[in-house]
Each structure stands twice: as structure tokens, then as C-alpha cells.
Amino acid sequence: MSAMKKKHIVIVEDDLDISRLLTLELQETGFEASAFATGISGLCAIRETEPDLVILDLGLPDISGAEIARRVRKTSEIPILILTAADDVSTKVEMLNVGADDYLAKPFHIEELVARVNVQLRKRGVGAVRKIGSMTLDAVRRQVFWDDEEVRLSPREFALLTYLCNQPGRVYSREEIEANVWGESLPPSSNVVDVHIANIRGKLRDAGGFGIIRTVRGVGYAVKG
Ligand code: CA
């Protein structure tokens, strides 16, 4: 198992004092942080590096933070946090309208900013709770829900479903599933993975969930992405 990859945050801020402070603080908190001083360079970096979260200053020398948010939102659902000098209702409404997830008025406390970054990352399934379509997976409580109905899985079934949900859309081979969920290779004749998949599907179906796990013949299984 490789070490957990650091979450990458892109900061677009033309005030170099703020941008340096943010970069250092986020790095010390355990994030990878890169700062850009213009809207265009920030937008390019966001497109190229696909960060886990973006912090945007509203007033930039070229294009505004709101415009960047609008453009990013056309193709991406990454969390966007906007920094603004104005703290009023119309600014708030505008920020939400352009697709920002949260905003913070300057001057702000760096601890509050870090806390809000963490909230956004948790919401997007970086933390314990993941949502895939109608299905919710809570890794801490080890519960699965389809809409509001709990789906009771055995510990192994839960581990298997969680593993497939690591990357929705990616096809996991039987060998990968055995190595990561059972921790060993099972005999080639074993159909234990298939049996567990069938059981999970059955339990999801009882809760109204259909078609979330896809069989890719001759390859393995995937959760719909
Ligand atoms: Ca500025």
C-alpha cells in the first residue's frame, strides 16, 4: 500500500502576503498547496492539475474569482471556496450563484479557513461519508444506505463494496478484489467474490437499489461512476 496521497489545493490570490500565509498554513496542515497570482494562470493550473479544492480571491488583476468559479463549474464539481473583501448578502448570493461552495470575508482567521477547507473536503467524500447516486457509505459507522433505507451488510460485504467505491467507474479485477478485500489469492475455482457480489446486490435490491454494481465479463466488477 502506498502512503496516502496528499490532497492538493490550488490558491488563486494576487495579495502575496495572504497567498504565502495560506500556502504555508495549508502545507503545515498536511495539504499540498500551490498558489497563483492571476486568474488565467490559476485557471490553467486548475484544469491541468485537477486539484481537490480551489481557494479563489474575488478581486484579481485579470479575470475575477467569480468568473473562474463559473468556468470551472462548467466541467468540474470540485469544491470552491471564495475569499472576498465584501461581507454582505448580495455577495453571498452571487458567490453561491456562480457555483462556489463557501465564501469567507477578509480579514479572516487562518484557522477558520483551514476548518472550512476540511468541511468541504469531508462533504465531497474525501472523508468518511461517500455518496454515489442514491447510495451512501459511512466508513466510520460502517453503514450503507440506499436513499434513507439502511442496507445491512456483513463486514466482508461492506469491505468489498467500499473497495469498489474507491473509484466509481473503474473496473476491479477478481485478483485485485481478492488481494485487497480478502488479503490473499483464492483458488482459481473459487466463486467467493461472485457470491459476495450477488449477496450485496440482493441486499441493495431489497432496499430499492438496482444496477449500482456492474459486471464486466471476463474482467471483474465496477460501481457505476
Ligand atoms: Ca485581490
Side-chain angles (χ1 to χ4, degrees):
M1 274 281 192
S2 60
M4 203 155 79
K5 200 175 161 287
K6 283 186 181 179
K7 300 296 164 206
H8 180 211
I9 297 174
V10 162
I11 302 157
V12 191
E13 165 66 86
D14 62 331
D15 182 324
L16 293 182
D17 289 335
I18 295 184
S19 138
R20 259 185 229 119
L21 174 72
L22 281 180
T23 307
L24 283 176
E25 189 70 22
L26 289 168
Q27 285 171 346
E28 270 177 25
T29 310
F31 296 108
E32 185 191 330
S34 342
F36 301 86
T38 65
I40 295 292
S41 61
L43 195 57
C44 288
I46 294 164
R47 289 193 172 140
E48 279 164 21
T49 65
E50 297 180 358
D52 297 289
L53 183 139
V54 179
I55 298 174
L56 291 176
D57 177 32
L58 199 55
L60 293 164
D62 47 0
I63 50 176
S64 74
E67 181 57 26
I68 298 176
R70 209 175 283 124
R71 292 194 200 175
V72 169
R73 267 295 164 268
K74 283 186 185 160
T75 56
S76 163
E77 288 300 316
I78 53 167
I80 298 175
L81 202 157
I82 286 188
L83 304 176
T84 161
D87 188 10
D88 54 50
V89 173
S90 63
T91 308
K92 197 171 186 172
V93 169
E94 198 206 336
M95 291 312 98
L96 297 174
N97 280 341
V98 297
D101 297 276
D102 197 2
Y103 91 104
L104 208 53
K106 292 179 184 176
F108 53 85
H109 287 288
I110 189 77
E111 294 82 7
E112 183 176 5
L113 180 116
V114 172
R116 292 198 186 199
V117 163
N118 281 320
V119 166
Q120 290 304 327
L121 290 175
R122 263 204 305 279
K123 265 196 198 163
R124 297 307 173 94
V126 172
V129 179
R130 306 209 48 179
K131 212 165 154 39
I132 297 171
S134 300
M135 187 171 72
T136 307
L137 242 87
D138 186 329
V140 171
R141 295 188 178 83
R142 303 188 70 80
Q143 285 177 309
V144 178
F145 294 89
W146 188 272
D147 291 326
D148 290 329
E149 188 155 343
E150 185 171 1
V151 182
R152 294 189 181 277
L153 301 180
S154 74
R156 187 80 81 184
E157 290 162 0
F158 183 83
L160 173 49
L161 185 60
T162 306
Y163 179 64
L164 294 178
C165 288
N166 276 333
Q167 271 187 62
R170 176 182 179 305
V171 183
Y172 290 91
S173 68
R174 276 186 187 71
E175 292 73 25
E176 284 177 296
I177 295 172
E178 289 170 7
N180 287 282
V181 179
W182 272 263
E184 58 183 331
S185 297
L186 304 167
S189 60
S190 164
N191 66 349
V192 72
V193 172
D194 310 83
V195 168
H196 277 74
I197 293 277
N199 288 343
I200 297 169
R201 279 181 174 148
K203 289 178 178 181
L204 285 167
R205 204 177 302 126
D206 289 344
F210 290 93
I212 188 109
I213 304 174
R214 207 158 56 88
T215 305
V216 182
R217 282 185 63 182
V219 186
Y221 295 100
V223 156
K224 288 212 171 144

